[in-house]
Amino acid sequence: MSDAVTLTGMPAQARRDIGIKRRYAAERRFRAYGIIAMAVGLFFLAALIFSVVSKGYTAFVQTTITLPIEFTEKDVDPDNKRGENPAVLAQGDFAKLIKQGLAKRLGFDPSDRKSAKLATAMISDSARTDLRDMLVADPSLVGKTVNVSLLAEGNIDSANKGQIDLSVPEARRKVKDKQLEWMKTLRDAGDLTKAFNTGLFTNGASSRPEAAGLGVAAMGSLFMMVTVFVLSLPIGVAASIYLEEFAPKNRLTDLIEVNINNLAAVPSIVYGLLGLSIFINFAGMPRSAALVGGLVLTLMTLPTIIIATRASLKAVPPSIRSAALGLGASKMQTIFHHVLPLAMPGILTGTIIGLAHALGETAPLLLIGMVAFVADFPATPLEPSTALPVQIYMWANEAERAFTERTSGAIIVLLTFLILMNLGAILLRRRFERRW
Amino acid sequence: MNMMAETTLEPKQAQAMNEPVYKMIGNKVSVFYGTKQALFEVSLPVREKTVTALIGPSGCGKSTFLRSLNRMNDTIDNCRVTGQITLDGQDIYDPSIDVVELRARVGMVFQKPNPFPKSIYENVAYGPKIHGLARNKADLDQIVETSLIKAGLWNEVKDRLHEAGTGLSGGQQQRLCIARAVAVSPEVILMDEPCSALDPIATAKVEELIHELRSNFTIVIVTHSMQQAARVSQRTAMFHLGNLVEENDTDKIFTNPDESRTQDYIMGRFG
Amino acid sequence: MKTPLILLILALMAIGAYVAGRARSHALSRTSKVKTHSRPAYHSAYVALAGLLPAVLVLIVWSIASPIYIDRTVRATLPSDLRIDQASEALNYGTVSIVARGVEQLTEAEIAAAQAGTVKWPELLVSKAVPVAADVRPEIIQAALKRTAMDAASHKAMAAVCIVVAALGAFLGYRRLAPSFRARNHIEKLMLVTLALCSTIAILTTVGIVVSMLSEATRFFAMVPMHEFFFGTVWDPRFAAAGAGGEGGQFGLIPLLAGTLYIAFFAMLCAVPVGLLSAIYMAEYASPRVRNLAKPALELLAGIPTIVYGFFALVTVGPFLRDISAELNGLVTGNYTNFIQAQSVLTAGIVMGIMLIPFVSSLSDDIITQVPRALRDGSLGLGATRSETIKRVILPAALPGIVSALLLTASRAVGETMIVVLAAGVAARLSPNPFEPMTTVTVKIVNQLTGDLEFTSPQTLVAFALGITLFAITLALNIYALYIVRKYREQYE
């Protein structure tokens, strides 16, 4: 029925040429640039994740070799003194025990030095301390033969995971043909196995990649995160409440505001210099201590927390304040009873993101001496320790192939923590987000 | 929702009225925002070189209808339009129709003056530049001047064409926006409550301007003020709750409307 | 008496005061005819704080002042031949401190025996795992004994004073309790002061940064003239051999600064187009579904620690560039040697650029979405295409904000450490070739300050001069960027 009306319409005005074709080409080009840019960004993300994961996922399993170890009395306690002093057991010749175990298992003559050398090279140096600890814990083992799972040496581990190119001539290979042959024997008998690598999470620093772990670093990071959380949340919230709710608008508060925004953008290494000069040099705190690291990271995180807290305080509508004030609550009561609880989800979200940032921070920790070879767990935040990202840095500087795997594995662990924290922040925001 | 109350176009009736020429025709236009329907099968013809006023209480869908006339609704995520709207007999939602070309023919002036943060000259020259309407600088100058004259702003700004458009007063800014729309030489100009942010004196000037523009352009204006509708328009369409209540000569609507709801609204019983 | 023990006693006293104040307050509200002004909780908190705060204040002041006084007194007892110059005095006083730490572990009987001469001091100390030379001077031992004695006396006195002050304060506070007493106002004033103090931490941090770095840098400039540092073109600090004083080391800032800026330039070259265009795409084109997926993904990129990027550069990007350059060279000239080194300006620049992409895009996204919708509609309503609207209306309107975002990004790039430490190399060279390694200010700060440190050599102190330079550069960039952002916000608010 609209046809009837259309008949009365004017003939279309002579079409102007407004360059539609050309303009749409430009439009498509521009759009394509945007898509390409996004794709490039996402490609890099994918490349990075892929690079780390493909190199690192094997770090979570570790090759072990099970050997029949006989704790022969003449090797571990030649003078038979363990009755009076069990500590002599720690002085035993455990390398020899391993060699004998290997000889028995692989069937070569222990006096054949060439074979013995090749065979013992398959077992990590850390196996000796493992045997020692085992024996000291249970002196009744003397004279007995036990099947013990020992850590394989890093190169054997790599070979077992198929990471070593076997087409290379033997002379230029770190794993020799003889060793490969033994590996096959052991594997077929079920004595060379891959198991979940608990050592990665429980061990401290070690110069042997197969025995190096993140335990000490994780403990240091935990101490630091607790310090940062305990200090920066209350201080940050207090500062934000003052600035947002009480501070008169004058030059001083303006200066503080500019200052906070600037501090949020100061390079992290500058905080390291600050920590070195104030906490260690001036206040005489110990180097390499998690407490100092925590303090430095607190100073670094505070601006982020203050900015997030102020934003969430600002988002609480003034009507809430008026309502409480109208009932005769003091300003302080209004804020602590009403405004702050409502702003809390936002504050916590900001804090978690700040903490996640602090957890991944490396540069300032290098300057306060956390680049340290720490094999023992710190009992207090004042003892030397290291941190997850610093451990990654130290491993990244190691040349050995097996350390690259460890580094990637450590990065996966660190990223998992960070993603969990960020997810927590996102969930918190979703769960409690309010629209006023 | 009273679906029966909407008017459908009766061709015979239309032809009986002095052979009106229809520039745009909406036929059973419905608009959805996500799952929410904002407009219910509205059929409304727009006569050429006439001022058509859309009135009704807030939230009645008049702005939504206006924005669908040059497909500004496209810019809103998950907005969907069904039905048919024609411009010179061509369906503007047809895939072959280009939205840029359409908007060059159906210009729009918004509720709040929104000059670009550029000079007055650049504001007016923007449309002609992007559409390549001027062959050279002199041409462009000419277009800017004519548009500003048409918008009644020339005398006020001719000495400061290169100052920022945002520095003008509210009323001047709105007339600048009208000049900006005029500079593209559209066939239809849509105005979405163009005076709601202006004081009475500025409003009077804009209304006067609308009067003059009528000789060259087809104008559709959404207004909240019935007095304004009565002052500037020849045809008036009354919307309520997403439906078109009635459409008729302005005089008729304001003196003797067919629908009781229109009567109630005009008498100020709701709205 | 140790400080933690004193704190514990003070805390117990505060709890006692709180309980007493509470009882009194309840009694007051029962007996009094007028309504009490403040709730009992405020009364009791007032009494507790009236005792605790002054005592803690005394504790803090005493803990800072008494070691300084003791140090000075003990130093004065050292014979003059042990104090020939500052260095020897510092060295000998260091020995005193070590001995004093050993003396603290001794029982009184052991001290008496050593004083009587039945046991030799050095042997006794070594048996307690205190490293002391066998021929340690008796004056040093006596100074250490004096110091230990003074320390003990000071701690006892401090404990007594603190407890008396706490008791007195609580008593006075208790006396003031009355129905009309405005305890709440006092408590709230105290809270306000605390809040205000917390907010000054920001200023204190900045002051701390400036003062600490300036003071260490001043010591450096006393050894190396300022113009040699700022205009020197050779960086060759030599090694900080203990006591060598750093003769012959050259500390030219120029090669480091050049490397920093060169790498930052490549990073920006990589990050700005990608970041800006993806921000535009996400703000203006992307459907909500794409946006909801891509935005968190890019934010994830921003949450990855820089050490991870460094490692990525070290093991993936660097070797990749090296190998591909060898291939390219081979294809063109037949000579398969790489012209890009694994550690190079290019590697560091690209990886830093990847790190900065999400930074640029999220800042730009905020700024672009801040441009009012009305401007967008105005342009689209005139028949402009989306890209015309973006290029001619939105970007010009958002320009100040984008410029400030780029300045903040540049400041990030200049201050970035871990990527360059792993990917840029350590050779301080002035070279226009981006395929070769160069080093940066931050790398050298790390290099000079890891390992064993001696805070008297220019090799160590130069790090602070570098630090203050870095701080000054980023401060200038940040402040200018923040200033533009403020202006920009005002425009649309």
Side-chain angles (χ1 to χ4, degrees), chain A residues 185-236:
Chain A
T185 322
L186 288 169
R187 199 182 300 127
D188 292 345
D191 287 337
L192 185 134
T193 48
K194 282 189 278 189
F196 182 71
N197 186 2
T198 44
L200 181 66
F201 300 96
T202 54
N203 292 353
S206 167
S207 56
R208 308 299 315 149
E210 63 274 8
L214 289 170
V216 171
M219 187 55 109
S221 279
L222 179 70
F223 278 140
M224 285 197 283
M225 288 304 108
V226 170
T227 315
V228 173
F229 184 77
V230 165
L231 288 178
S232 66
L233 185 62
I235 296 179

Side-chain angles (χ1 to χ4, degrees), chain C residues 39-120:
Chain C
R39 309 274 325 271
Y42 287 106
H43 279 141
S44 31
Y46 179 80
V47 178
L49 289 174
L52 189 63
L53 281 188
V56 169
L57 209 64
V58 168
L59 187 77
I60 292 172
V61 172
W62 195 299
S63 309
I64 294 171
S66 108
I68 297 176
Y69 172 75
I70 294 175
D71 268 17
R72 207 168 278 169
T73 327
V74 174
R75 263 167 206 260
T77 66
L78 287 178
S80 56
D81 64 317
L82 290 177
R83 294 190 285 157
I84 304 162
D85 54 22
Q86 266 197 344
S88 79
E89 180 174 339
L91 192 69
N92 287 312
Y93 191 70
T95 322
V96 171
S97 310
I98 293 169
V99 174
R101 227 172 292 146
V103 170
E104 278 168 25
Q105 300 170 20
L106 300 177
T107 60
E108 277 184 31
E110 280 171 324
I111 294 178
Q115 286 292 66
T118 46
V119 191
K120 286 223 171 85

Side-chain angles (χ1 to χ4, degrees), chain A residues 71-193:
Chain A
F71 292 96
T72 42
E73 188 167 2
K74 79 173 166 51
D75 290 323
V76 294
D77 190 13
D79 309 328
N80 199 359
K81 277 190 183 157
R82 63 178 180 279
E84 45 206 81
N85 182 11
V88 295
L89 289 175
Q91 317 281 327
D93 187 353
F94 295 100
K96 195 170 168 200
L97 294 187
I98 294 171
K99 192 168 78 182
Q100 286 163 347
L102 282 163
K104 198 187 296 172
R105 180 70 190 76
L106 299 171
F108 62 85
D109 181 3
S111 59
D112 172 2
R113 298 184 69 175
K114 195 166 159 254
S115 294
K117 199 175 163 217
L118 272 179
T120 45
M122 291 172 66
I123 305 290
S124 166
D125 292 346
S126 69
R128 279 179 277 170
T129 49
D130 290 346
L131 286 183
R132 183 193 67 199
D133 296 346
M134 199 173 150
L135 186 63
V136 170
D138 182 8
S140 72
L141 287 173
V142 176
K144 289 182 192 157
T145 304
V146 199
N147 272 334
V148 187
S149 290
L150 297 173
L151 270 185
E153 200 269 340
N155 288 316
I156 300 296
D157 184 41
S158 303
N160 190 34
K161 289 169 181 167
Q163 293 160 340
I164 287 187
D165 184 3
L166 299 176
S167 60
V168 177
E170 188 184 6
R172 281 169 45 202
R173 219 192 295 138
K174 285 192 171 152
V175 183
K176 308 298 175 197
D177 288 343
K178 187 75 187 159
Q179 291 177 322
L180 288 172
E181 192 187 304
W182 282 332
M183 279 174 68
K184 189 166 178 332
T185 322
L186 288 169
R187 199 182 300 127
D188 292 345
D191 287 337
L192 185 134
T193 48

Side-chain angles (χ1 to χ4, degrees), chain B:
Chain B
M1 212 68 36
N2 182 1
M3 305 292 280
M4 301 304 292
E6 71 190 50
T7 54
T8 49
L9 194 64
E10 299 287 335
K12 277 180 195 157
Q13 191 186 336
Q15 269 172 350
M17 282 185 247
N18 281 344
E19 298 284 321
V21 181
Y22 293 113
K23 186 71 185 168
M24 295 187 85
I25 297 162
N27 189 12
K28 296 195 171 172
V29 180
S30 295
V31 179
F32 303 83
Y33 294 115
T35 54
K36 191 174 160 278
Q37 189 166 3
L39 211 58
F40 297 87
E41 303 202 356
V42 169
S43 297
L44 178 71
V46 174
R47 298 181 183 201
E48 182 164 53
K49 301 209 168 137
T50 307
V51 178
T52 306
L54 311 182
I55 61 169
S58 37
C60 66
K62 53 195 193 300
S63 284
T64 302
F65 181 74
L66 187 80
R67 290 172 66 92
S68 60
L69 290 179
N70 74 341
R71 293 179 54 178
M72 278 307 279
N73 281 333
D74 290 15
T75 63
I76 298 168
D77 286 336
N78 67 50
C79 174
R80 199 159 48 84
V81 181
T82 64
Q84 192 187 39
I85 300 174
T86 57
L87 173 64
D88 290 339
Q90 245 184 328
D91 184 356
I92 62 168
Y93 281 90
D94 190 271
S96 67
I97 282 289
D98 183 83
V99 68
V100 165
E101 210 172 351
L102 170 72
R103 288 182 195 150
R105 292 171 64 194
V106 184
M108 186 150 190
V109 175
F110 297 85
Q111 189 168 0
K112 265 197 198 151
N114 56 350
F116 303 135
K118 300 168 178 248
S119 70
I120 295 169
Y121 181 91
E122 283 296 327
N123 261 289
V124 182
Y126 177 75
K129 269 188 180 168
I130 56 171
H131 295 308
L133 300 183
R135 277 180 302 273
N136 50 39
K137 178 85 170 80
D139 232 12
L140 192 60
D141 289 348
Q142 189 55 49
I143 294 177
V144 170
E145 183 176 343
T146 331
S147 310
L148 284 170
I149 289 171
K150 278 191 194 152
L153 199 58
W154 177 249
N155 288 329
E156 292 162 59
V157 301
K158 64 181 176 210
D159 302 324
R160 44 180 180 141
L161 283 178
H162 295 283
E163 286 172 25
T166 42
L168 296 173
S169 73
Q172 287 173 321
Q173 284 189 10
Q174 193 61 298
R175 280 180 288 148
L176 176 62
C177 292
I178 294 174
R180 191 173 69 184
V182 166
V184 186
S185 325
E187 296 154 38
V188 183
I189 299 179
L190 310 174
M191 298 186 175
D192 190 355
E193 301 193 32
C195 301
S196 67
L198 305 184
D199 61 64
I201 294 170
T203 302
K205 280 200 170 155
V206 172
E207 285 179 5
E208 200 179 313
L209 171 60
I210 293 171
H211 242 320
E212 285 162 20
L213 290 175
R214 189 192 140 202
S215 52
N216 290 317
F217 305 96
T218 304
I219 293 173
V220 184
I221 177 170
V222 164
T223 175
H224 214 79
S225 141
M226 278 159 303
Q227 291 82 349
Q228 186 171 57
R231 282 194 299 267
V232 301
S233 72
Q234 289 77 52
R235 299 283 293 180
T236 297
M238 158 78 190
F239 284 72
H240 183 222
L241 296 174
N243 291 290
L244 176 64
V245 178
E246 72 172 305
E247 188 264 353
N248 218 324
D249 278 342
T250 302
D251 296 341
K252 172 122 170 56
I253 290 266
F254 279 90
T255 51
N256 184 21
D258 291 339
E259 289 282 331
S260 60
R261 271 191 291 169
T262 315
Q263 177 94 47
D264 288 350
Y265 180 62
I266 285 162
M267 305 302 279
R269 299 235 179 100
F270 66 91

